[in-house]
Amino acid sequence: MSQSTQSLSRRIQDLVQQIYPELDATILASLIVDAFWPAGTQRRKRARVRGNTLWSERDALVITYGNSIVDGAHKPLDLLNDFLHRYLRGALNSVHILPFFPYTSDDGFAVSDFRAVNPQLGDWADINRIARDFKLMSDLVLNHVSSQGNWFNAYRQGQAPFDKFFFEADPTDDLSMVVRPRTTPLLRRVDTSNGPRHVWCTFSHDQIDLDFRNPEVLLEFLRIIRLHVDNGVEIIRLDAVAFLWKEIGSPSIHLPQTHAVVQLMRLLCDFASEKIILLTETNVPKAENLSYFGAGNEAHAIYNFPLPPLILHAMMSGSAQYLRRWQRGMPPAPMGCAYLNFTASHDGIGMRPAEGLLPEHEKQQVIDTVRATGGLVSMRAMPDGSQSPYELNTTFYAALERTFKGADQYHFERFICSQTIVMSLEGIPAFYIHSLLATPNDHEAVEHRGMNRAINRHRWDYPTLRGLLDDPASPQARVLDALTGRLKLRGKQTAFHPNATQFTVNMGDDRIFGVWRQSLDRHQSIFALHNISDETVTISSEALNLIEDVAWCDLLSGETVDPLAAQITLTPYQCRWITNRA
């Protein structure tokens, strides 16, 4: 055995001892290696050195369901592939296809078969086709499975190894500390061949939580990761990973064993011959979210969950006070890590990440304004039995129809400004397909499906959508053209590398949100300025410290910027990318 192999085995054993101290670490480490690298696969002799080469300024991602675009005749994955090439090629190079497996509820997140593609969408060949031209992200829904899938059916029948795959509890157990984002009962009673059992359901009674105290569960998910990687997946999204490990009498969120499991997966990915990026999905307050970077040894990337509510508040209030305060206190991502920046996803706009960042009266104004645009609010259960707003259910485009002042003529400009902020910040920008397409709230889907989140999960008829995109005056065409144009421009700027230096600029005016970015080689600087108000704002150029004897220009307008000029003006919701290198 080579020294590098010994090193990998030793490191796996150290993590196994943290997760499963009662088991033989040597044997389990060998099983882990065999699960992740079955016969015929190769691994690196040494782990990848942490660095900033896994991504670049050219990386930008679209988030979509496999059937966000349909026509009733063709496979949805074929239509998605056509849409990606026809409208997004050159602007975005990565795609997150939300769970594309057979499922029974929650729009894919109650998976019934992790090894198959939902035949209503297409097949693995269609996934492979997309992965050839775009970096592909898939979901590892590792906290739970469908109550109607093969795994849970085998559990109820007492079939090994599935008879020990699911987390059981007793209704008399102390579960008062459990943190979860739902108001439904935590336990579900089910009949099994071994008698009645109560199984743990963090999200719904159709989503039964797995028991990672059984190492067979971990091994099975490592095999599933391998299947995805072999089919072209480059980014693995660890869905709801914070809830992975449970202990009776504890909050059962962010437990040490959960972090150790993520560290183990990161270690395996670092030794993989394929480039694999781990992304954790933890819709929680700032410190808890940042913890999934670990010491640079857990997730490669984490969602920047405070961004959606903070950007929404800034655009509605016309004040960057809280957005700037939060951004100023955000640390750079550790070496080898990055933020994933976004404003919208398939879920709602999470309000938990705004805890401690927005005062309660400011959050309530956001909630009231979203409701005024036709948006909805979902609640979560608190330990004392009360309920608290968990997320806002709306498309981001619809939410910005109004400000705290009411509706105005700046809806388009305000929305484009909000998305430009996402492009400007340290990290990798991601855009939900319905943000790119200016999709309105789908109230009909909510009524039809009886689920708040359906408001943000519209399915476009492709011929109808193409007709709208062919009309330059439609909101869909205007928004897609503006955003893809800025993304193509952004991809050419080294100062927008996900790990390029960032400094939050205080312009002395809360109506302006600004950051300074500098490329890794220090050759390019960009001052990204965003007027988040409905007023024309003039600021002193001294706040930017533009170096004299250097040609500065605004990338977005094409204007030359005189470093000796006393003032810089931004019209309502205007953005400027002022750079020394065009």
Side-chain angles (χ1 to χ4, degrees):
M1 183 181 294
S2 68
Q3 183 177 358
S4 60
T5 302
Q6 287 178 327
S7 173
L8 172 61
S9 179
R10 181 69 262 174
R11 291 164 70 179
I12 293 175
Q13 289 177 40
D14 289 343
L15 289 167
V16 165
Q17 287 173 342
Q18 295 178 42
I19 305 168
Y20 305 107
E22 73 285 358
L23 299 181
D24 186 310
T26 303
I27 294 175
L28 186 49
S30 178
L31 293 173
I32 286 170
V33 169
D34 289 343
F36 199 74
W37 287 288
T41 55
Q42 302 293 322
R43 63 175 180 269
R44 297 170 59 92
K45 293 182 179 180
R46 294 178 179 81
R48 281 186 175 81
V49 177
R50 293 179 197 167
N52 47 39
T53 59
L54 288 174
W55 38 69
S56 77
E57 59 275 9
R58 294 182 297 277
D59 286 305
L61 185 141
V62 57
I63 305 165
T64 180
Y65 280 101
N67 61 354
S68 290
I69 299 173
V70 295
D71 68 359
H74 299 87
K75 291 186 291 186
L77 286 176
D78 275 347
L79 298 180
L80 175 60
N81 191 41
D82 182 82
F83 174 80
L84 292 171
H85 283 84
R86 187 183 299 270
Y87 295 105
L88 300 185
R89 194 75 186 268
L92 297 103
N93 65 353
S94 308
V95 56
H96 173 198
I97 305 178
L98 289 151
F100 48 76
F101 323 106
Y103 71 97
T104 54
S105 65
D106 198 17
D107 282 344
F109 286 92
V111 179
S112 56
D113 186 349
F114 287 96
R115 296 181 174 277
V117 173
N118 183 350
Q120 295 180 355
L121 301 178
D123 52 34
W124 279 114
D126 301 310
I127 294 295
N128 301 156
R129 194 173 301 114
I130 292 173
R132 281 198 292 268
D133 295 322
F134 294 86
K135 295 182 181 180
L136 179 61
M137 182 196 300
S138 71
D139 287 280
L140 193 69
V141 187
L142 74 176
N143 180 71
H144 50 261
V145 301
S146 168
S147 68
Q148 303 167 60
N150 292 336
W151 289 9
F152 194 63
N153 286 334
Y155 159 81
R156 296 182 69 171
Q157 295 168 19
Q159 298 176 10
F162 303 105
D163 56 334
K164 300 185 185 302
F165 257 44
F166 296 91
F167 198 95
E168 300 175 352
D170 192 285
T172 62
D173 289 333
D174 180 9
L175 305 176
S176 60
M177 295 176 62
V178 174
V179 173
R180 53 195 295 261
R182 299 291 186 271
T183 58
T184 53
L186 176 62
L187 300 183
R188 172 187 169 184
R189 183 188 183 278
V190 295
D191 293 321
T192 76
S193 61
N194 296 314
R197 294 288 188 270
H198 288 85
V199 291
W200 194 287
C201 304
T202 297
F203 292 93
S204 80
H205 281 190
D206 187 39
Q207 294 164 294
I208 314 299
D209 284 37
L210 292 152
D211 190 351
F212 274 82
R213 294 175 303 179
N214 177 3
E216 290 293 336
V217 176
L218 173 63
L219 292 171
E220 185 59 25
F221 275 102
L222 296 181
R223 298 183 190 105
I224 292 167
I225 293 177
R226 169 52 54 189
L227 173 68
H228 289 200
V229 171
D230 288 346
N231 277 282
V233 171
E234 187 170 320
I235 308 169
I236 303 289
R237 178 182 182 269
L238 302 182
D239 177 68
V241 66
F243 304 98
L244 180 146
W245 200 275
K246 289 94 175 161
E247 287 183 358
I248 304 299
S250 81
S252 294
I253 187 173
H254 311 312
L255 294 184
Q257 295 91 336
T258 294
H259 285 281
V261 169
V262 178
Q263 290 173 32
L264 174 62
M265 291 180 173
R266 168 67 181 267
L267 176 62
L268 298 175
C269 291
D270 285 348
F271 271 90
S273 58
E274 306 88 354
K275 185 168 73 171
I276 308 173
I277 296 171
L278 282 185
L279 171 69
T280 50
E281 186 266 333
T282 51
N283 193 353
V284 292
K286 171 184 170 182
E288 299 169 44
N289 192 32
L290 288 172
S291 72
Y292 286 86
F293 278 142
N297 62 344
E298 293 190 31
H300 293 93
I302 65 172
Y303 281 87
N304 219 342
F305 273 110
L307 263 184
L310 288 175
I311 290 180
L312 185 64
H313 172 271
M315 305 309 300
M316 287 180 169
S317 67
S319 171
Q321 174 187 357
Y322 299 106
L323 175 62
R324 184 175 61 247
R325 180 185 300 171
W326 164 78
Q327 186 60 70
R328 193 169 54 223
M330 284 292 288
M335 179 64 75
C337 300
Y339 294 107
L340 188 78
N341 298 323
F342 71 112
T343 57
S345 71
H346 62 292
D347 290 337
I349 300 167
M351 295 305 290
R352 280 209 70 204
E355 291 176 9
L357 302 177
L358 286 177
E360 288 302 316
H361 70 279
E362 297 284 349
K363 284 196 286 187
Q364 190 58 51
Q365 278 192 284
V366 171
I367 292 170
D368 292 344
T369 304
V370 165
R371 282 180 166 145
T373 65
L376 306 171
V377 180
S378 293
M379 312 297 285
R380 71 182 180 102
M382 304 297 287
D384 62 2
S386 63
Q387 296 186 2
S388 175
Y390 174 69
E391 67 181 18
L392 308 178
N393 301 112
T394 176
T395 69
F396 211 82
Y397 180 75
L400 289 181
E401 289 177 7
R402 302 170 65 92
T403 68
F404 291 169
K405 298 177 183 178
D408 59 24
Q409 71 271 35
Y410 294 117
H411 183 196
F412 171 80
E413 292 81 4
R414 185 161 48 246
F415 179 73
I416 298 302
C417 178
S418 74
Q419 304 307 294
T420 305
I421 292 175
V422 173
M423 299 181 201
S424 303
L425 295 176
E426 175 197 346
I428 302 167
F431 303 88
Y432 190 33
I433 190 170
H434 294 306
S435 291
L436 296 174
L437 297 176
T439 306
N441 284 333
D442 193 338
H443 293 283
E444 183 179 341
V446 174
E447 183 176 353
H448 177 69
R449 303 178 62 194
M451 180 176 66
N452 281 2
R453 285 179 168 177
I455 199 171
N456 190 31
R457 300 178 179 179
H458 181 70
R459 293 174 184 168
W460 278 102
D461 173 68
Y462 201 24
T464 301
L465 176 61
R466 290 192 59 186
L468 290 168
L469 293 176
D470 286 341
D471 176 3
S474 74
Q476 287 66 40
R478 292 182 68 203
V479 166
L480 185 63
D481 182 64
L483 294 182
T484 54
R486 291 192 177 185
L487 281 166
K488 289 175 182 177
L489 184 61
R490 178 191 182 277
K492 299 175 182 178
Q493 316 307 319
T494 55
F496 282 142
H497 185 285
N499 299 119
T501 298
Q502 176 170 290
F503 181 78
T504 306
V505 181
N506 189 347
M507 307 303 301
D509 192 317
D510 285 342
R511 294 171 295 179
I512 302 295
F513 176 69
V515 292
W516 171 67
R517 304 294 308 279
Q518 186 182 57
S519 60
L520 296 169
D521 62 10
R522 304 182 69 178
H523 289 166
Q524 184 184 32
S525 289
I526 294 179
F527 291 91
L529 309 178
H530 316 84
N531 181 359
I532 59 166
S533 78
D534 59 359
E535 301 168 347
T536 296
V537 180
T538 300
I539 58 176
S540 170
S541 61
E542 292 182 358
L544 300 185
N545 191 29
L546 299 179
I547 299 172
E548 296 183 21
D549 303 320
V550 172
W552 294 87
C553 73
D554 179 356
L555 290 168
L556 295 178
S557 68
E559 300 173 38
T560 298
V561 178
D562 183 356
L564 299 179
Q567 296 178 327
I568 295 175
T569 299
L570 292 93
T571 57
Y573 301 107
Q574 182 181 3
C575 302
R576 287 182 175 270
W577 286 345
I578 299 175
T579 184
N580 60 330
R581 292 181 65 185

